[in-house]
């Protein structure tokens, strides 16, 4: 990693002593940036933007160029895998992601196969390669996936949901069918992440957006056990074993110990988790990532600076035995966020966090 100009993020994930807290932001390439909106307009729609490697690279680089963040994250979507499985993803304005061919029966489940990462999802790997070349070692590149439970939820519901009636119904009524579905998705995720690493991703993140709506027992059985498979597969493969992997379950603050037991390198915290408490519970086992409330980014620079300092102070002094902290929001930055606030956030973390690393 000696060719990296800024490897602070990777060094933190490796548990090394660092001079300040690194920062990146979920959805940092997104609609709050006017330059992103211009490229999306040029692409015509979101999926075309995702599937055109040069444009995906351009929007990945925008927040790096503008704000000097400490890591880039591949511009893509969590629903690329189900789309490659033939479910026909469309993004409807005002509705969000919708599948034309959702999974509605055991026959539908049994027809699913693992997509070929370089063939069916080659545009993602091409984007990784183009971005790594363009980054030229400035900062590391994060690859990512949705968790099996989250992907299966979208696949069965056919779109986002508030009640998750269909996927939970499948889980309660036909647990074996649910496990069959989750296993093919997990196998696909493992193949997909390994291909991202082969193409140049230097760190991985699993977004378990919907795990938090499960009971503890069902979370363990239907979400965490499959994320455990992913971590084990990455850590047991010579080609990927040194690539750090971060798990993030939105609404999963009560399960941090179980998540740390997977052997992952880091845990994302949403904004409902007290970071001081999280550090006491698992901070000597995993790096913590988070966790300012993203809505603060829609307010003023004073509020951003104050809230950023609260998170830094909440983690507190970095001492021997601590794994470390990566600053992030507790979920993705929102379209209404002010670009000036991102600058204020990055400047605050990069300018003020060194005092916590004395």
């Amino acid at each position: 990693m000696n060719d990296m100009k800024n490897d602070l993020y990777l060094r933190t994930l490796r548990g090394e002593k660092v001079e300040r807290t690194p920062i990146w932001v979920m959805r940092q390439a997104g609609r709050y940036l006017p330059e992103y909106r211009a490229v999306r307009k040029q692409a015509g729609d979101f999926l075309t933007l995702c599937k055109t490697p040069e444009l995906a690279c351009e929007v990945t680089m925008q927040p790096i160029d503008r704000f000097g963040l400490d890591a880039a994250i591949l511009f893509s979507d969590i629903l690329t895998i189900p789309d490659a499985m033939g479910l026909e993803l469309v993004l409807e304005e005002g509705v969000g992601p919708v599948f034309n061919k959702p999974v509605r029966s055991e026959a539908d489940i049994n027809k699913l196969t693992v997509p070929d990462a370089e063939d069916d999802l080659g545009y993602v790997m091409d984007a990784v390669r183009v971005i790594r070349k363009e980054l030229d070692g400035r900062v590391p590149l994060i690859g990512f996936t949705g968790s099996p439970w989250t992907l299966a939820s979208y696949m069965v519901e056919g779109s986002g949901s508030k009640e998750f009636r269909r996927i939970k119904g499948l889980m309660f009524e036909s647990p074996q069918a649910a496990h069959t579905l989750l296993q093919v998705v997990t196998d696909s995720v493992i193949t997909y992440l390994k291909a991202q690493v082969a193409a140049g991703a230097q760190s991985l993140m699993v977004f378990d957006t919907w795990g938090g709506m499960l009971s503890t027992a069902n979370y363990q059985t239907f979400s965490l056990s499959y994320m455990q498979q992913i971590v084990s597969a990455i850590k047991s493969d010579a080609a990927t074993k040194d690539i750090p992997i971060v798990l993030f379950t939105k609404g999963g603050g009560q399960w941090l110990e179980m998540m740390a037991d997977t052997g992952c390198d880091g845990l994302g915290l949403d904004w409902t988790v007290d970071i001081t408490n999280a550090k006491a519970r698992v901070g000597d086992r995993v790096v913590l990532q988070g966790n300012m409330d993203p809505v603060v980014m829609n307010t003023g620079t004073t509020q951003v600076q104050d809230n950023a300092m609260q998170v830094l102070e909440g983690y507190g002094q970095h001492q021997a035995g601590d794994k470390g902290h990566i600053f992030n929001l507790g979920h993705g930055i929102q379209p209404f966020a002010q670009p000036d606030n991102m600058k204020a956030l990055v400047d605050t973390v990069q300018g003020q966090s060194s005092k916590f690393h004395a």
Side-chain angles (χ1 to χ4, degrees):
M1 295 297 171
N2 295 336
D3 58 338
M4 295 235 32
K5 298 173 185 69
N6 175 356
D7 63 352
L8 205 59
Y9 167 82
L10 291 176
R11 284 194 286 135
T12 300
L13 277 172
R14 292 199 294 263
E16 297 175 16
K17 185 172 170 56
V18 292
E19 51 277 17
R20 66 166 174 82
T21 304
I23 175 171
W24 71 278
V25 171
M26 291 183 269
R27 292 200 198 124
Q28 61 191 24
R31 287 178 288 174
Y32 73 103
L33 285 176
E35 56 266 43
Y36 168 87
R37 295 195 295 272
V39 176
R40 173 155 173 181
K41 189 174 180 186
Q42 176 193 342
D45 63 82
F46 178 80
L47 280 178
T48 302
L49 182 52
C50 286
K51 293 184 178 185
T52 309
E54 292 71 24
L55 296 182
C57 175
E58 186 175 345
V59 294
T60 298
M61 294 301 298
Q62 286 171 347
I64 306 302
D65 292 337
R66 183 162 179 164
F67 305 113
L69 292 136
D70 295 310
I73 183 164
L74 163 70
F75 183 82
S76 187
D77 192 83
I78 64 168
L79 299 179
T80 51
I81 288 174
D83 185 48
M85 287 176 156
L87 274 62
E88 294 184 5
L89 176 65
V90 291
L91 278 126
E92 295 185 3
E93 287 299 324
V95 178
V98 175
F99 287 114
N100 285 334
K101 295 181 176 176
V103 172
R104 289 288 158 79
S105 66
E106 289 197 35
D108 289 344
I109 292 170
N110 293 332
K111 280 190 294 199
L112 296 171
T113 56
V114 174
D116 185 284
E118 281 292 354
D119 186 6
D120 305 318
L121 289 158
Y123 64 91
V124 177
M125 308 315 147
D126 288 343
V128 172
R129 286 185 275 264
V130 172
I131 295 163
R132 265 304 295 275
K133 187 165 184 289
E134 184 65 27
L135 279 170
D136 192 30
R138 279 170 65 183
V139 293
L141 176 62
I142 304 166
F144 73 93
T145 180
S147 72
W149 172 259
T150 294
L151 297 182
S153 296
Y154 277 111
M155 291 164 73
V156 173
E157 298 292 337
S159 62
S161 174
K162 285 191 172 69
E163 292 83 23
F164 297 92
R165 181 171 58 86
R166 292 180 189 274
I167 185 67
K168 282 187 164 184
L170 179 70
M171 177 185 80
F172 289 126
E173 294 167 6
S174 307
Q176 200 47 57
H179 283 302
T180 302
L181 170 59
L182 287 160
Q183 191 59 58
V184 71
V185 174
T186 300
D187 293 343
S188 302
V189 164
I190 290 167
T191 303
Y192 184 57
L193 289 179
K194 287 182 175 182
Q196 287 186 35
V197 172
Q202 293 155 289
S203 173
L204 298 170
M205 186 153 173
V206 180
F207 288 95
D208 186 31
T209 313
W210 302 127
M213 50 88 171
L214 292 167
S215 70
T216 296
N218 287 327
Y219 174 72
Q220 287 178 286
T221 303
F222 292 94
S223 182
L224 189 62
S225 67
Y226 291 98
M227 290 197 286
Q228 172 72 73
Q229 278 192 45
I230 294 164
V231 174
S232 298
I234 296 299
K235 295 297 177 188
S236 63
D237 187 324
T240 55
K241 66 182 174 62
D242 296 325
I243 301 296
I245 184 163
V246 177
L247 304 183
F248 173 63
T249 294
K250 185 168 176 276
Q254 67 272 43
W255 302 317
L256 297 181
E257 292 87 351
M258 292 193 294
M259 294 172 76
D261 284 343
T262 61
C264 64
D265 300 280
L267 293 181
L269 307 176
D270 71 23
W271 67 91
T272 66
V273 178
D274 180 272
I275 196 166
T276 312
N277 174 260
K279 182 185 179 183
R281 289 163 60 193
V282 296
D284 60 346
R285 298 167 59 198
V286 285
V287 175
L288 297 177
Q289 178 179 282
N291 68 333
M292 195 175 88
D293 190 325
V295 175
V296 177
M297 300 295 283
N298 308 351
T299 61
T301 52
T302 305
Q303 287 78 18
V304 170
Q305 291 161 342
D306 290 349
N307 279 268
M309 289 307 297
Q310 284 173 27
V311 174
L312 291 171
E313 288 161 1
Y315 187 88
Q317 285 295 327
H318 293 247
Q319 295 163 334
D322 295 344
K323 281 293 189 181
H325 177 218
I326 295 162
F327 197 103
N328 208 309
L329 302 180
H331 201 236
I333 191 168
Q334 299 174 342
F336 307 105
Q338 303 300 311
D340 286 352
N341 284 345
M342 181 70 113
K343 183 177 187 325
L345 178 65
V346 174
D347 288 351
T348 301
V349 174
Q350 293 183 345
Q352 299 296 320
S353 61
S354 60
K355 66 180 76 163
F356 298 98
H357 293 261

